[in-house]
Amino acid sequence: MKVYIAGHRGMVGGAITRRLNARREAGEAIELVTRTSTELDLTDQVAVRDFMAAEKPDVVILAAAKVGGIHANNTYPADFIYENLMIECNVIHQAFAAGVTRLLQLGSSCIYPREAPQPMREDALLTGVLEPTNEPYAIAKIAGIKLCESYNRQHGVDYRSVMPTNLYGPGDNFHPENSHVLPALIRRFHEAAQSGASEVVIWGSGKPRREFLHVDDMAEASLHVLDLPRDVYAAHTEPMLSHINVGSGSDVSIRELAETVAEVTGFTGQITQDASKPDGTMRKLMDVSRLADMGWQAGIGLQDGIRSTYAWFLDQDPAALRAK
């Protein structure tokens, strides 16, 4: 089986690649196909067409995306909607044109309305207004879901979508401005602990609640969903509601998260909130009952996951982290 992983150097794509390599080493007949962004520009339709036609993979895993936190989404909305739409359109359509019948696309929990009932069920999609701070990115991710559903309906292929909650782990982006909340906090509290700072200021009120999933759990869940027989997957989805939530099923406040990160990094100073900064959506918890019915649940606890992620962070080249 030839598997093309788009975005294999990213956090999620890297975790999936590690899992598939382990399977291959265990004896499964898997051939992995990868390309870096310099080798293959996924926003270039002709380049993607030629690549798919030449490689003819049996399975495509679409883990490539332009991602970032609130600041990045607010600052570069055109980049987020354009690049993600182009990646999805090119990869999904050109995979179909090359005869690929199995595809897994990774989305995001931001597809759901800002005021969606909690925990958010799959059928909350397109029932309300999106969170303004990441609306362009969310619209692109919704388009990806609908692309998969439409190709399934019209052409009878088996294109599936998984919607992860907030992910973290090895390979994350620790940029102080453009990263998501958890890696940003790890870096901020680490630097504060190392410098002996007496205070760390976090954005917003600290009251919003977020769900987090370790990327290794996400990789296992993705492959679990991909491997399900078609009739089993279909039994838990609908033609116009074919995506599956992937999460831990529990959440914490940003304040609680900051306190956990402080403990892990050894910071003993004061934690204060900057209420002038946006909170974003007040709560984002995924309903993962469909995934549980399919036979999978998360196995890495948040504190253990943060500890292992911090250990990975400490092992990295500081110069490389400063550049990210």
Side-chain angles (χ1 to χ4, degrees):
M1 178 177 66
K2 181 184 281 191
V3 181
Y4 167 52
I5 305 176
H8 74 286
R9 297 176 78 179
M11 178 173 65
V12 183
I16 292 174
T17 301
R18 292 193 296 272
R19 292 294 180 276
L20 289 175
N21 273 323
R23 288 187 180 186
R24 184 175 59 179
E25 292 169 1
E28 290 191 35
I30 297 174
E31 177 186 352
L32 296 184
V33 179
T34 60
R35 294 291 188 277
T36 65
S37 57
T38 54
E39 293 170 331
L40 177 62
D41 179 0
L42 295 179
T43 68
D44 184 331
Q45 184 180 49
V46 173
V48 177
R49 180 198 65 194
D50 292 347
F51 165 78
M52 291 289 186
E55 290 292 342
K56 295 189 180 301
D58 300 301
V59 178
V60 170
I61 298 175
L62 177 48
K66 182 176 180 62
V67 298
I70 291 176
H71 175 80
N73 274 271
N74 269 332
T75 306
Y76 312 109
D79 294 351
F80 274 85
I81 192 167
Y82 171 77
E83 291 185 30
N84 285 296
L85 282 172
M86 294 301 292
I87 289 170
E88 291 162 357
C89 288
N90 290 340
V91 172
I92 293 170
H93 177 74
Q94 299 304 337
F96 167 74
V100 176
T101 58
R102 294 180 62 207
L103 180 146
L104 183 72
Q105 183 223 185
L106 280 71
S108 168
S109 62
C110 71
I111 62 169
Y112 294 116
R114 176 184 173 90
E115 303 298 333
Q118 302 291 319
M120 299 179 291
R121 293 162 41 99
E122 286 89 347
D123 57 11
L125 183 67
L126 297 177
T127 61
V129 176
L130 297 167
E131 163 59 38
T133 56
N134 58 16
E135 181 187 71
Y137 177 72
I139 288 174
K141 292 287 113 180
I142 292 170
I145 295 172
K146 293 304 175 183
L147 274 167
C148 289
E149 290 176 356
S150 298
Y151 278 75
N152 289 343
R153 290 171 59 209
Q154 184 172 339
H155 300 295
V157 292
D158 187 5
Y159 292 178
R160 306 177 183 184
S161 297
V162 286
M163 297 298 117
T165 187
N166 299 289
L167 301 175
Y168 70 99
D172 210 340
N173 173 17
F174 291 86
H175 190 281
E177 293 181 347
N178 295 336
S179 60
H180 289 104
V181 60
L182 184 44
L185 289 177
I186 289 175
R187 179 169 182 162
R188 194 176 308 165
F189 278 97
H190 165 75
E191 292 177 348
Q194 294 300 302
S195 67
S198 61
E199 179 187 44
V200 169
V201 180
I202 62 174
W203 274 32
S205 66
K207 296 179 181 179
R209 300 186 67 81
R210 291 293 182 269
E211 176 185 17
F212 296 93
L213 184 72
H214 193 280
V215 69
D216 287 344
D217 270 345
M218 181 61 201
E220 290 187 4
S222 297
L223 294 177
H224 179 85
V225 170
L226 178 64
D227 290 341
L228 287 172
R230 192 168 186 174
D231 59 338
V232 174
Y233 184 79
H236 295 280
T237 58
E238 304 167 22
M240 294 296 290
L241 193 64
S242 65
H243 63 284
I244 296 296
N245 288 344
V246 181
S248 63
S250 61
D251 60 3
V252 296
S253 72
I254 297 300
R255 176 72 191 201
E256 292 168 333
L257 179 68
E259 291 170 351
T260 300
V261 173
E263 178 184 347
V264 168
T265 58
F267 175 75
T268 57
Q270 184 177 5
I271 303 172
T272 58
Q273 282 88 225
D274 180 356
S276 69
K277 301 297 185 182
D279 274 332
T281 306
M282 289 306 295
R283 193 181 191 198
K284 288 177 64 177
L285 176 64
M286 305 277 266
D287 183 320
V288 293
S289 56
R290 285 194 181 196
L291 183 60
D293 289 343
M294 291 177 172
W296 189 89
Q297 61 182 9
I300 301 174
L302 182 59
Q303 187 166 44
D304 288 342
I306 292 175
R307 288 190 185 281
S308 65
T309 301
Y310 183 52
W312 180 89
F313 173 88
L314 293 176
D315 284 341
Q316 304 312 297
D317 178 2
L321 286 171
R322 281 194 295 272
K324 292 182 71 174

